[in-house]
Amino acid sequence: MADHDQAKVVAADVVSRDMIFQPILEDGVFRFDCSAEARVASYPSLSFTCSKDRDTPIMSHSVPSYTPTYECVSGKQIVKFKFPDGTSFYGTGEVSGQLERTGKRVFTWNTDAWGYGPGTTSLYQSHPWVLAVLPNGEALGVLADTTLRCEIDLRKESIIQFIAPSSYPVVTFGLFASPTDVLKSLSHAIGTVFMPPKWSLGYQQCRWSYDSDERVREIARTFREKGIPCDVIWMDIDYMDGTFSRSTIFGKRSP
């Protein structure tokens, strides 16, 4: 369904309303939509390891601790969560700056952000996810399940706001006793990272870039001569020919 067609399932411009919810996956996890029609029209999830887990309600007597409001303006769905004063925010995907994201604004829009700094709002991966830690230590995670350009606005006191083209579901994990419990529940939805090979845990030399294979070998020899452990040397795009063919390494055919 095209974006403009999907937007029809939500009123073009509406006053702020509570989103409707249904429990999914396991106790404490809720899916929110603007309407029953929006729920039916939503795209399959690319966040959940099993898309059906997001779309299949479960039997539960639990109700959400926090219900977001929404409004739709000019084809965009604005979702807002309000938490107690003093709530701190984390997450927002691959970003620059400090671990705590309170007061920040991020755009989930993959960008080749060479030379990025603390003020860069988009990097190489996009994850519309926020972890909210309340003043009492309890925590709740929020996932805006959309692959479209999404603004995550955390600049207002204790408020999470997502803005993306209509319409998309939002999934919450918690309220749970701690951030650890939130992340455990999240892992049941999106999966866990694989166990890395032992060599990948060592030092990896990386820079932009080396202009020849002789230079790479020189770097490797220097590490060994100085007794500095090094398991990996990364090469940037300069190892490829002018057409960026991966079949060549510094002008030579790769093995």
Side-chain angles (χ1 to χ4, degrees):
M1 182 183 293
D3 293 344
H4 67 277
D5 291 332
Q6 191 178 30
K8 291 179 181 178
V9 300
V10 184
D13 291 288
V14 300
V15 295
S16 181
R17 299 176 181 173
D18 286 348
M19 301 184 80
I20 63 172
F21 74 89
Q22 60 181 196
I24 60 170
L25 188 66
E26 62 187 19
D27 192 45
V29 180
F30 299 93
R31 169 180 171 163
F32 293 89
D33 293 274
C34 297
S35 65
E37 293 79 12
R39 179 181 295 154
V40 172
S42 64
Y43 292 116
S45 176
L46 295 182
S47 301
F48 279 55
T49 53
C50 178
S51 182
K52 290 183 179 179
D53 286 343
R54 191 205 65 182
D55 300 332
T56 305
I58 63 171
M59 292 295 297
S60 175
H61 297 294
S62 300
V63 295
S65 299
Y66 294 92
T67 297
T69 60
Y70 81 94
E71 54 184 309
C72 293
V73 179
S74 301
K76 291 190 176 182
Q77 176 180 313
I78 304 171
V79 176
K80 185 180 297 184
F81 286 83
K82 179 69 174 73
F83 296 99
D85 290 348
T87 297
S88 55
F89 299 125
Y90 303 84
T92 70
E94 185 181 76
V95 292
S96 60
Q98 297 178 336
L99 180 64
E100 184 178 351
R101 309 306 298 163
T102 309
K104 303 297 183 181
R105 184 188 189 203
V106 173
F107 295 89
T108 58
W109 192 248
N110 294 9
T111 304
D112 186 7
W114 181 85
Y116 65 85
T120 306
T121 58
S122 299
L123 293 184
Y124 297 87
Q125 297 182 28
S126 297
H127 307 280
W129 157 264
V130 177
L131 173 66
V133 180
L134 279 59
N136 65 359
E138 293 180 320
L140 180 140
V142 185
L143 172 68
D145 201 4
T146 177
T147 60
L148 302 179
R149 188 179 193 272
C150 180
E151 176 184 341
I152 307 173
D153 192 345
L154 308 176
R155 293 176 296 177
K156 294 183 179 180
E157 173 71 21
S158 302
I159 289 177
I160 297 174
Q161 181 171 272
F162 295 101
I163 304 176
S166 302
S167 61
Y168 57 92
V170 174
V171 180
T172 61
F173 300 82
L175 196 67
F176 293 136
S178 70
T180 299
D181 293 331
V182 172
L183 296 180
K184 284 181 179 178
S185 183
L186 175 67
S187 73
H188 299 160
I190 67 172
T192 57
V193 297
F194 61 87
M195 182 66 72
K198 186 176 180 180
W199 60 262
S200 71
L201 302 179
Y203 176 74
Q204 302 190 24
Q205 169 68 18
C206 180
R207 60 151 293 167
W208 181 60
S209 184
Y210 304 110
D211 57 7
S212 68
D213 53 349
E214 289 81 7
R215 178 58 174 158
V216 176
R217 291 190 175 94
E218 178 188 356
I219 295 294
R221 284 195 302 269
T222 303
F223 271 104
R224 289 171 178 150
E225 290 169 359
K226 295 182 178 295
I228 301 174
C230 180
D231 288 280
V232 179
I233 296 179
W234 288 85
M235 291 174 283
D236 210 320
I237 59 175
D238 297 80
Y239 78 87
M240 296 183 282
D241 64 19
T243 62
F244 298 111
S245 170
R246 291 185 175 86
S247 63
T248 61
I249 299 179
F250 296 118
K252 305 170 185 176
R253 296 294 298 179
S254 60

